[in-house]
């Protein structure tokens, strides 16, 4: 999955960062959440408690207010007019909103004054709880109860009235307006500092709701039933300062008990509730902030890590690309990296390496070039497995085997596939020589393959191991000596010929003189003897034979001194042919030989040994005539081959032709099939033409005729005849 260094680095770094960020985030979120939760709870309780304290204050003030009324001198005076008292009550209720109505009863419980309900006057209320409590404790603050008279839940506050002698004269009773209390609580919770929408319930230990958020008065609904709690649970939570989460209403509540005192003895509880989402909103905000900052820091670190990994990896990537390029032989420029010191060192070394590799490659190329262009066959194979590792171009030419069929193959595999190679390895005795200890070994050997004899000079050398992992190699250097041998033989032959020629020439010269004398005397004898005698016949034969010897001697002298006329002159080839054929015209018609000439007039004038060429043409034409005793056609052609700057002269007859054996012997001195032939004409022709760097070829068929073709290069270097 993560193969590259970059992805590995990224994966590891990011994993570490992610895990540690998550861990730290989680831990600090949890601790901060706890702190925040505590804070939330505390402030919630603070709020609830302060509200409860306010309510307590409110209650206390209310009681004090009524006590204040009880201290009113008009009311205190037992002789006061009832009307005056009533007007005091009116003033009081107007001044203090919580008081709905005020009733005054005497110490027997008989109603004396009632601000609102006149029908009550004279009634006995001594059995009322408030009356009894006020009588007993001076002041009384009732719990909420349902009033049959006013048909709604009410509260009653009572205070005893004492005269100036401190004697109780009656009890004041006021009905407390619950709506005023509700409004008070509602307004307190609406203070601008509270940012939440609080719902506040005031209820007693029976669950009767004294005040509720909508400020309606409804005794039918019990707080405990409504919220699925009981007084024990609430007491517990007040004691432990625990918040209550109502699963049904999705509300969070804090409970506080209203302080009790000497007058106010009710067990009232205040429940301040807020919706769960609102209560926990700061926690959500905290979580959101945490997630936001986590993502932000993760992104920032990711960016930093990507940058850092780029910084680490980019130079490595560059080096990798450069190395791969180098591996496939793409030209390399030195790398310039300005990175951390390890990479700088590496790139420096890399550049040095490229330099070295290039140098080595250059050397290798040069060596390969030398190896491939040398005229020596070079072959190498490892000593152990005999796998061929080197086989140069010259080897390919010698054995006629392409390199790819040999390289990486063992010697025995190649031996099996290629007979020429097999013959070479066997006849050169390579294997046997390898096992010999001497190193290097040089020897010459002769190879006969397909009827052709070749000469080789071999060097066998064991190359030392140039690498620990490589085997020692055997190097075989093959030099083809065949050409050289042929040349040597040729030189030997010409040398011999030269000596013989010179000898023959001097012999011929010496023979010609006595021969001329003998011929002269025989002729004299022949003429003086005019009888047609038998001797005369012999003389004729003697003369004929002497002429024959003369012919041989002339040819011999010509052979031995072919360079008699050595003029290198500007020659008109066609003209030479015209001149010679003119000589043969007479003989042609005599022998019924038709001479045809097809001369190419584009043949340019060129420098050559004209008289020698003439000698060649004469010899060839003479032979052609002799091959056509019963007549025929002699065709002489010249062709100028411009592209080659050469001329071809062909002399064709329709004569008797030659068999293979005759053709094979044409170069041999004194080879003739004619009774009066000398066998020197053609050898001389070959000698002259080849001396001119030209060629003389023959094609012939028995009974059909013969064609001799001469090829001369007219731009060839001037012919400097050696003195043969
Ligand atoms: P010679 O003509 O004295 O025999 P050459 O050297 O001129 O010697 O020729 C050698 C031999 O080559 C001839 O004896 C003949 O057998 C053969 N030969 C040469 N030219 C021709 C030819 N045009 N047609 C047939 N045979 C030829
Ligand atoms: Mg001849």
């Amino acid at each position: 999955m993560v193969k590259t260094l970059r992805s590995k680095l990224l994966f590891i770094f990011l994993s570490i960062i992610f895990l540690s960020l998550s861990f730290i985030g989680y831990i600090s979120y949890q601790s901060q959440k706890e702190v925040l939760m505590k804070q939330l709870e505390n402030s919630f309780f603070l709020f609830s408690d302060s509200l409860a304290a306010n309510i307590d204050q409110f209650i206390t003030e209310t009681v004090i207010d009524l006590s204040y009324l009880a201290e009113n001198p008009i009311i205190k005076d037992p002789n006061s007019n009832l009307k005056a008292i009533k007007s005091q009550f009116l003033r009081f209720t107007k001044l203090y909103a919580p008081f709905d109505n005020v009733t005054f009863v005497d110490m027997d419980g008989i109603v004396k004054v009632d601000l609102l309900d006149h029908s009550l006057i004279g009634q006995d209320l001594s059995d009322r709880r408030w009356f009894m409590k006020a009588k007993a404790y001076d002041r009384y603050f009732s719990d909420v109860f349902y009033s049959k008279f006013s048909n709604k839940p009410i509260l009653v506050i009572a205070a005893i009235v004492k005269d100036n002698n401190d004697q109780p004269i009656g009890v004041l009773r006021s009905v407390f307006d619950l709506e005023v209390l509700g409004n008070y609580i509602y307004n307190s919770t609406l203070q601008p500092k509270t940012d939440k929408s609080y719902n506040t319930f005031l209820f007693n230990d029976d669950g009767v709701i004294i005040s509720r958020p909508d400020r309606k008065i409804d005794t039918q609904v019990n707080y405990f039933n409504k919220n699925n709690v009981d007084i024990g649970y609430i007491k517990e939570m007040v004691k432990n300062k625990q918040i209550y989460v109502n699963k049904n209403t999705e509300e969070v509540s804090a409970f506080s008990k209203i302080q009790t005192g000497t007058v106010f003895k009710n067990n009232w509880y205040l429940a301040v509730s807020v919706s769960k989402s609102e209560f926990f909103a700061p926690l959500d905000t905290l979580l959101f902030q945490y997630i936001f900052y986590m993502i932000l820091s993760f992104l920032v670190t990711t960016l930093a890590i990507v940058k850092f990994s780029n910084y680490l990896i980019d130079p490595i990537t560059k080096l990798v690309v450069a190395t791969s390029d180098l591996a496939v032989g793409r030209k390399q420029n030195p790398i310039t990296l300005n990175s951390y010191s390890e990479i700088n060192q590496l790139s420096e070394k890399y550049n040095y390496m490229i330099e070295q590799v290039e140098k080595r490659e250059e050397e290798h190329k040069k060596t390969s070039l030398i190896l491939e262009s040398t005229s020596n066959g070079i072959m190498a194979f490892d000593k152990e497995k005999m796998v061929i590792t080197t086989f140069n171009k010259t080897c390919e030419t010698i054995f006629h085997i392409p390199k790819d069929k040999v390289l990486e193959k063992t010697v025995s595999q190649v031996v099996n596939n290629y007979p020429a190679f097999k013959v070479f390895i066997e006849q050169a005795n390579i294997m046997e020589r390898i096992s010999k200890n001497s190193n290097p070994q040089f020897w010459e050997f002769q190879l006969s393959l397909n009827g052709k004899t070749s000469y080789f000079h071999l060097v066998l050398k064991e190359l030392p191991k140039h690498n620990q992992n490589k085997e020692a190699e055997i190097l075989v250097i093959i030099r083809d000596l065949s050409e050289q041998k042929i040349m040597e033989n040729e030189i030997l032959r010409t040398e011999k010929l030269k000596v013989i020629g010179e000898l023959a020439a001097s012999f011929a010269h010496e023979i010609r003189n006595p021969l001329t004398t003998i011929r002269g005397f025989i002729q004299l004898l022949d003429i003086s003897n005019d009888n047609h005698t038998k001797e005369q016949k012999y003389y004729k034969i003697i003369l004929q034979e002497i002429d024959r010897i003369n012919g041989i001697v002339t040819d011999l002298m010509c052979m031995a001194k072919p360079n008699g006329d050595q003029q290198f002159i500007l020659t008109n080839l066609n003209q030479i042919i015209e001149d010679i054929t003119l000589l043969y015209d007479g003989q042609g018609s005599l022998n019924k030989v038709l001479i045809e000439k097809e001369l190419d007039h584009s043949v340019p004038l060129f420098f050559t040994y004209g008289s020698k060429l003439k000698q060649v043409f004469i010899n060839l034409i003479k032979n052609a005539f002799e091959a056509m005793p019963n007549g025929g056609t002699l065709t002489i052609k010249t062709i100028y081959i411009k592209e080659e700057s050469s001329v071809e002269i062909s002399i064709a007859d329709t004569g008797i032709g030659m068999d293979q054996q005759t053709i094979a012997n044409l170069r041999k001195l004194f080879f003739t099939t004619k009774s009066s032939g000398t066998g020197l004409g053609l050898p001389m022709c070959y000698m002259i033409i080849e001396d001119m760097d030209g060629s003389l070829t023959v094609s012939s068929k028995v009974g059909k005729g013969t064609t001799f073709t001469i090829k001369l290069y007219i731009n060839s270097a001037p012919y400097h005849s050696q003195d043969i």
Side-chain angles (χ1 to χ4, degrees):
M1 178 185 69
V2 279
K3 281 274 162 61
T4 61
L5 181 57
R6 190 191 299 274
S7 46
K8 263 186 189 146
L9 269 182
L10 284 179
F11 179 74
I12 292 169
F13 277 149
L14 289 181
S15 305
I16 292 172
I17 293 292
F18 182 75
L19 288 177
S20 49
L21 264 181
S22 311
F23 182 70
I24 294 169
Y26 179 75
I27 297 286
S28 59
Y29 169 71
Q30 282 302 335
S31 65
Q32 212 161 328
K33 183 181 155 188
E34 226 164 87
V35 171
L36 189 66
M37 192 67 197
K38 263 266 141 347
Q39 275 176 6
L40 280 178
E41 280 183 22
N42 285 346
S43 67
F44 199 31
F45 273 109
L46 207 66
F47 182 68
S48 147
D49 285 348
S50 75
L51 194 56
N54 282 354
I55 292 168
D56 181 45
Q57 176 109 19
F58 183 81
I59 288 166
T60 313
E61 272 171 18
T62 315
V63 174
I64 289 170
D65 287 345
L66 196 66
S67 306
Y68 178 69
L69 184 64
E71 290 293 320
N72 187 303
I74 295 170
I75 297 164
K76 260 170 95 96
D77 186 357
N79 302 320
S80 282
N81 182 330
L82 291 178
K83 251 195 177 158
I85 294 172
K86 196 174 173 181
S87 72
Q88 287 301 315
F89 284 2
L90 198 64
R91 239 185 78 208
F92 179 74
T93 51
K94 272 193 184 144
L95 225 66
Y96 300 103
F99 300 99
D100 231 6
N101 186 15
V102 185
T103 310
F104 180 62
V105 294
D106 62 14
M107 286 309 284
D108 297 325
I110 306 297
V111 177
K112 292 290 177 192
V113 183
D114 189 282
L115 195 59
L116 298 179
D117 191 356
H118 294 285
S119 62
L120 266 179
I121 295 170
Q123 279 194 32
D124 184 359
L125 300 179
S126 59
D127 60 339
R128 302 294 164 89
R129 193 177 164 84
W130 54 268
F131 180 73
M132 288 186 277
K133 290 275 182 186
K135 252 172 86 175
Y137 303 105
D138 282 6
R139 276 176 284 183
Y140 173 68
F141 196 103
S142 83
D143 205 338
V144 70
F145 65 92
Y146 192 79
S147 160
K148 279 175 267 172
F149 305 108
S150 46
N151 213 12
K152 59 178 184 183
I154 54 164
L155 265 172
V156 166
I157 312 169
I160 197 135
V161 182
K162 289 179 178 171
D163 64 10
N164 289 332
N165 301 324
D166 215 20
Q167 287 304 307
I169 58 163
V171 173
L172 275 179
R173 184 205 73 162
S174 176
V175 173
F176 192 92
D177 192 343
L178 286 180
E179 222 168 282
V180 176
L181 179 64
N183 278 340
Y184 177 78
I185 296 169
Y186 175 71
N187 289 334
S188 300
T189 51
L190 273 185
Q191 283 168 34
K193 63 179 176 187
T194 60
D195 52 350
K196 296 188 179 76
S197 41
Y198 291 110
N199 285 332
T200 358
F201 282 87
L202 189 66
F203 53 91
N204 67 9
D205 49 2
D206 290 329
V208 175
I209 297 170
I210 299 156
S211 165
R212 37 188 273 168
D214 53 11
R215 280 161 289 141
K216 274 186 192 154
I217 310 293
D218 185 358
T219 47
Q220 300 306 309
V221 183
N222 185 287
Y223 186 83
F224 295 159
N225 298 341
K226 188 176 166 241
N227 289 288
N228 204 16
V229 283
D230 58 34
I231 187 66
Y233 187 59
I234 286 178
K235 275 182 180 167
E236 193 71 19
M237 277 192 289
V238 170
K239 197 176 141 202
N240 298 335
K241 285 218 176 294
Q242 253 185 318
I243 57 161
Y244 169 64
V245 181
N246 189 328
K247 298 234 168 58
N248 294 334
T249 56
E250 292 279 305
E251 272 187 335
V252 181
S253 309
F255 296 104
S256 297
K257 193 172 181 292
I258 309 293
Q259 200 79 41
T260 50
T262 46
V263 180
F264 182 74
K265 290 193 167 64
N266 300 325
N267 288 321
W268 281 12
Y269 293 91
L270 182 74
V272 179
S273 306
V274 69
S275 78
K276 214 168 137 188
S277 60
E278 220 173 326
F279 183 79
F280 290 113
L283 287 187
D284 292 344
T285 313
L286 181 73
L287 182 66
F288 174 76
Q289 278 174 350
Y290 260 90
I291 291 173
F292 175 75
Y293 285 116
M294 280 274 297
I295 291 174
L296 194 70
S297 11
F298 188 69
L299 286 180
V300 169
T301 40
T302 305
L303 212 73
I305 287 167
V306 168
K307 279 250 170 238
F308 182 61
S309 72
N310 282 352
Y311 173 72
L312 284 183
I313 308 296
D314 279 357
I316 299 179
T317 313
K318 266 188 194 165
L319 278 169
V320 168
V321 169
T323 314
S324 336
D325 280 357
L326 184 71
V328 296
R330 223 169 285 156
K331 177 93 183 114
Q332 282 299 302
N333 289 326
I335 293 185
T336 43
L337 290 175
N338 195 4
S339 191
Y340 43 104
S341 71
E342 286 85 349
I343 279 293
N344 289 348
Q345 264 180 24
L346 192 63
S347 72
E348 229 170 73
K349 293 275 179 262
Y350 178 82
N351 287 338
Y352 177 71
M353 185 186 83
I354 290 180
E355 213 175 277
Q356 292 303 309
V357 164
E358 272 175 3
K359 238 188 232 171
R360 248 176 259 168
E361 205 166 294
E362 207 54 47
E363 275 170 24
H364 179 74
K365 264 187 202 161
K366 208 165 132 191
T367 319
S368 307
L369 207 68
I370 293 171
L371 189 75
E372 286 306 314
S373 55
T374 176
S375 58
N376 291 337
I378 294 172
M379 177 169 82
F381 45 86
D382 74 75
K383 201 179 175 186
E384 207 60 35
K385 294 182 193 129
M386 294 288 215
V387 173
I388 299 174
T389 54
T390 308
F391 195 82
N392 75 347
K393 215 180 180 74
T394 313
C395 278
E396 288 183 314
T397 320
I398 294 173
F399 299 112
H400 299 288
I401 310 175
K403 193 179 275 190
D404 55 306
K405 296 276 189 282
V406 175
L407 289 180
E408 307 302 324
K409 303 258 162 46
T410 61
V411 172
S412 52
Q413 275 172 331
V414 184
V415 160
N416 289 339
N417 292 342
Y418 296 94
F421 193 73
K422 183 181 180 187
V423 172
F424 176 83
I425 294 287
E426 280 171 1
Q427 290 194 16
N429 242 343
I430 301 259
M431 295 305 151
E432 205 173 292
R433 282 193 181 253
I434 290 172
S435 55
K436 278 187 190 166
N437 276 335
S438 61
N439 185 36
Q441 300 177 47
F442 309 89
W443 78 103
E444 269 183 29
F445 91 104
Q446 193 177 329
L447 177 75
S448 307
L449 190 68
N450 300 335
K452 198 182 149 211
T453 305
S454 308
Y455 300 88
F456 294 102
H457 178 263
L458 291 193
V459 178
L460 194 80
K461 191 170 163 52
E462 187 173 328
L463 294 177
K465 280 186 188 186
H466 59 278
N467 186 328
Q468 272 301 316
N469 304 326
K470 296 270 179 190
E471 292 297 331
E473 287 201 6
I474 304 286
L475 178 73
V476 184
I477 303 172
I478 309 159
R479 210 163 104 218
D480 190 347
L481 297 177
S482 308
E483 288 280 319
Q484 195 183 327
K485 281 275 178 207
I486 290 168
M487 205 108 109
E488 276 173 15
N489 289 344
E490 190 62 23
I491 288 168
L492 210 68
R493 199 174 69 85
T494 3
E495 281 300 313
K496 273 186 199 161
L497 263 179
K498 198 176 158 190
V499 173
I500 293 169
E502 277 169 7
L503 220 89
S506 54
F507 269 136
H509 190 72
E510 292 306 320
I511 289 167
R512 253 237 295 240
N513 288 342
L515 217 59
T516 315
T517 317
I518 293 170
R519 197 180 191 281
F521 282 112
I522 297 287
Q523 225 169 354
L524 269 177
L525 284 175
D526 185 23
I527 296 163
S528 61
N529 193 348
D530 38 35
N531 302 337
H532 292 278
T533 57
K534 220 171 155 186
E535 288 85 1
Q536 216 166 14
K537 230 177 170 173
Y538 294 148
Y539 290 145
K540 280 244 157 53
I541 291 169
I542 292 169
L543 278 176
Q544 259 177 22
E545 287 307 303
I546 288 173
D547 283 345
R548 186 166 131 77
I549 293 169
N550 236 337
I552 292 174
V553 168
T554 313
D555 276 355
L556 252 180
M557 279 174 73
C558 206
M559 276 280 298
K561 277 187 152 185
N563 49 350
D565 184 355
Q566 277 245 38
Q567 272 179 317
F568 190 68
I569 49 166
L570 196 62
T571 309
N572 185 339
L573 183 74
N574 288 339
Q575 191 55 51
I576 291 181
I577 290 167
E578 293 286 4
D579 290 349
I580 295 172
T581 47
L582 199 67
L583 283 175
Y584 279 90
D585 260 357
Q587 201 181 340
S589 52
L590 199 73
N591 290 7
K592 293 186 198 133
V593 171
L594 180 66
I595 302 176
E596 282 197 345
K597 285 171 283 184
E598 292 172 23
L599 304 179
D600 182 350
H601 292 287
S602 68
V603 177
L605 300 181
F606 61 100
F607 277 94
T608 188
Y609 297 93
S611 57
K612 280 180 169 297
L613 268 186
K614 221 183 247 179
Q615 224 171 317
V616 172
F617 295 153
I618 289 170
N619 263 307
L620 294 178
I621 292 169
K622 194 168 161 250
N623 279 349
F625 267 94
E626 285 164 358
M628 297 184 287
N630 303 320
T633 312
L634 172 74
T635 315
I636 305 175
K637 262 193 225 172
T638 57
I639 301 168
Y640 175 49
I641 307 166
K642 200 174 174 192
E643 304 78 61
E644 282 186 1
S645 316
S646 68
V647 281
E648 265 184 20
I649 310 107
S650 65
I651 295 163
D653 63 57
T654 54
I656 54 172
M658 290 180 271
D659 55 19
Q660 278 303 317
Q661 203 175 347
T662 312
I663 292 173
N665 285 317
L666 291 183
R667 281 172 176 273
K668 263 193 190 161
L669 286 170
F670 304 111
F671 170 78
T672 179
T673 54
K674 300 166 194 166
S675 54
S676 61
T678 62
L680 290 171
L682 279 178
M684 185 176 72
C685 291
Y686 277 113
M687 210 152 74
I688 290 169
I689 296 300
E690 282 166 9
D691 257 6
M692 289 178 176
D693 285 335
S695 68
L696 174 60
T697 51
V698 62
S699 78
S700 182
K701 249 188 178 162
V702 178
K704 294 267 180 213
T706 305
T707 306
F708 280 93
T709 309
I710 300 164
K711 186 163 189 149
L712 292 172
Y713 294 93
I714 60 180
N715 278 345
S716 60
Y719 165 65
H720 298 294
S721 169
Q722 300 141 331
D723 291 344
I724 301 174

